[in-house]
Amino acid sequence: MYTYRCLNNISNIGLANFSDEWKEVPEFESSDAILVRSANMKEMEFMPQLKAIARAGAGVNNVPVDRCAEQGIVVFNTPGANANGVKELVIAGMLLASRDIVGGIEWLESQEPTEDLQKRAEKQKKQFAGSEIAGKKLGIIGLGAIGVMVANTAVSLGMDVYGYDPYLSIKAAWNVSSSIKHVDDVEEIYRNCDFITIHVPLNDGTREMINAEAFAAMKEGAVLLNFARDLLVSEEALVAALESGKLRKYVTDFVTPAVAKAPNTIITPHLGASTKESEDNCAVMAVKELREYLEHGNIRNSVNYPACDLGVCRTAGRLAVNHRNVPNMLAALTTVLGKAGVNVANIQNASRGNYAYTLIDTDSEIHEDLVNEIEKTEGVLKVRVVK
């Protein structure tokens, strides 16, 4: 029996994908796996039996990813599961920035509903007219699941789309429209684009990537959209760009005191991935990731361990080893197995940064004393027999 605990409300459509071999427990300390959305796990202490954490969403800033890796806990996210919901909000953000729809609605709400209201509206409408997005240039920084969807939709709306992503995956390359202009220098987007939207993860390399230098390089009167992470944009530089008019509008899904007080901003209360469909999709993917890992040992969409997949075990036993990425680890593991008279039928090893993962299928059952022996190997962080 596998156990799990939900730290937030997780869609029942997702939870329904657990089999009868899974049971929810009231305390996360006694669980094999944790499902989480927004709960802050940074200060939590994890028990040795915890094997995996699945974040029902893309960002994992609320999870101590590095500490989990050192404890042999695999952290999963759900890339692409909420992409359509975010994509639709980005497109809505562009439309709101182009046409003063909100201003028009607010003006009408402030008017007395007298007989001449329609005439007054006809006279007033010019100040809310705005412009169309067809024919405008859109620059997309980051062509992951969301960026590709935004790009393809923008092309269908008649926009001239530029895409920048030095780490473009093969899957994304296949999915993105051939009409998109791929650029090797983000400066080309800054110089040419009327709209710029960011779709990159937050890390040390991307923190405040949109800074004073970036704003200085942008086209006069550009619109910046940020539905990825607030800390990708320097708030000080942003406010200065808005106040000077260099930036015409800033559209974001993240509210902070500095941004809330800045002029020419359109802010939504973190709505991007909060649709029912997105929450369902994220929950389904998270549950499937946990099942695949705990039941078969396979890793898909982890943020701290490498992808590894041996399918379903067809031999007598399967051993899963989380370890540091150090030389001679495979030799050490196979030596322990050889001394115990256990033959290796199949093996897969993969590494990611300082950590690695090894799946071993054996022709004989794996007993507890053998697991204990492998745990003594220097660099090994967690060992388990996959049932």
Side-chain angles (χ1 to χ4, degrees), residues 23 56 66 118 129 133 180 247 252 286 293 303 326 330 351 353 374:
K23 179 180 71 172
D66 293 338
Q118 189 172 13
I133 62 174
I180 291 165
L247 199 66
T252 185
Y293 179 59
V303 298
V326 294
L330 282 182
S351 62
I374 292 175

Side-chain angles (χ1 to χ4, degrees), residues 135-148:
K136 302 299 189 298
K137 292 181 174 66
L138 169 65
I140 300 175
I141 303 173
L143 290 170
I146 297 171
V148 166

Side-chain angles (χ1 to χ4, degrees), residues 143 161-164 168 173 176-178 180-184 188:
L143 290 170
V161 181
Y162 292 65
Y164 171 77
L168 183 65
V176 73
S177 169
S178 59
I180 291 165
K181 298 176 177 65
H182 293 275
V183 299
D184 297 323
E188 191 171 343

Side-chain angles (χ1 to χ4, degrees), residues 96 99-111 128:
L96 290 172
R99 311 280 294 273
D100 191 8
I101 299 167
V102 174
I105 292 171
E106 290 177 343
W107 180 84
L108 276 173
E109 288 179 343
S110 70
Q111 301 302 300
F128 308 117

Side-chain angles (χ1 to χ4, degrees), residues 87-98:
K87 178 260 298 186
E88 290 185 358
L89 200 59
V90 172
I91 299 300
M94 279 198 291
L95 293 169
L96 290 172
S98 298

Side-chain angles (χ1 to χ4, degrees), residues 67-129:
R67 178 158 61 92
C68 287
E70 185 61 26
Q71 293 181 242
I73 300 167
V74 178
V75 179
F76 297 93
N77 68 344
T78 57
N82 58 11
N84 188 69
V86 178
K87 178 260 298 186
E88 290 185 358
L89 200 59
V90 172
I91 299 300
M94 279 198 291
L95 293 169
L96 290 172
S98 298
R99 311 280 294 273
D100 191 8
I101 299 167
V102 174
I105 292 171
E106 290 177 343
W107 180 84
L108 276 173
E109 288 179 343
S110 70
Q111 301 302 300
E112 289 295 326
T114 56
E115 290 296 326
D116 66 338
L117 178 58
Q118 189 172 13
K119 290 181 178 179
R120 282 186 281 133
E122 285 295 322
K123 291 181 180 179
Q124 195 75 18
K125 70 180 183 181
K126 286 185 179 179
Q127 74 176 73
F128 308 117

Side-chain angles (χ1 to χ4, degrees), residues 133-212:
I133 62 174
K136 302 299 189 298
K137 292 181 174 66
L138 169 65
I140 300 175
I141 303 173
L143 290 170
I146 297 171
V148 166
M149 282 190 171
V150 171
N152 292 343
T153 301
V155 167
S156 71
L157 291 172
M159 301 190 79
D160 191 9
V161 181
Y162 292 65
Y164 171 77
D165 193 332
Y167 307 106
L168 183 65
S169 70
I170 294 173
K171 181 179 179 181
W174 276 107
N175 290 333
V176 73
S177 169
S178 59
S179 302
I180 291 165
K181 298 176 177 65
H182 293 275
V183 299
D184 297 323
D185 187 351
V186 71
E187 296 282 332
E188 191 171 343
I189 283 178
Y190 296 154
R191 286 194 304 269
N192 293 294
C193 292
D194 306 292
F195 297 85
I196 299 170
T197 181
I198 324 164
H199 299 286
V200 299
L202 177 65
N203 53 46
D204 291 339
T206 61
R207 188 180 301 273
E208 294 194 352
M209 64 177 291
I210 308 297
N211 50 30

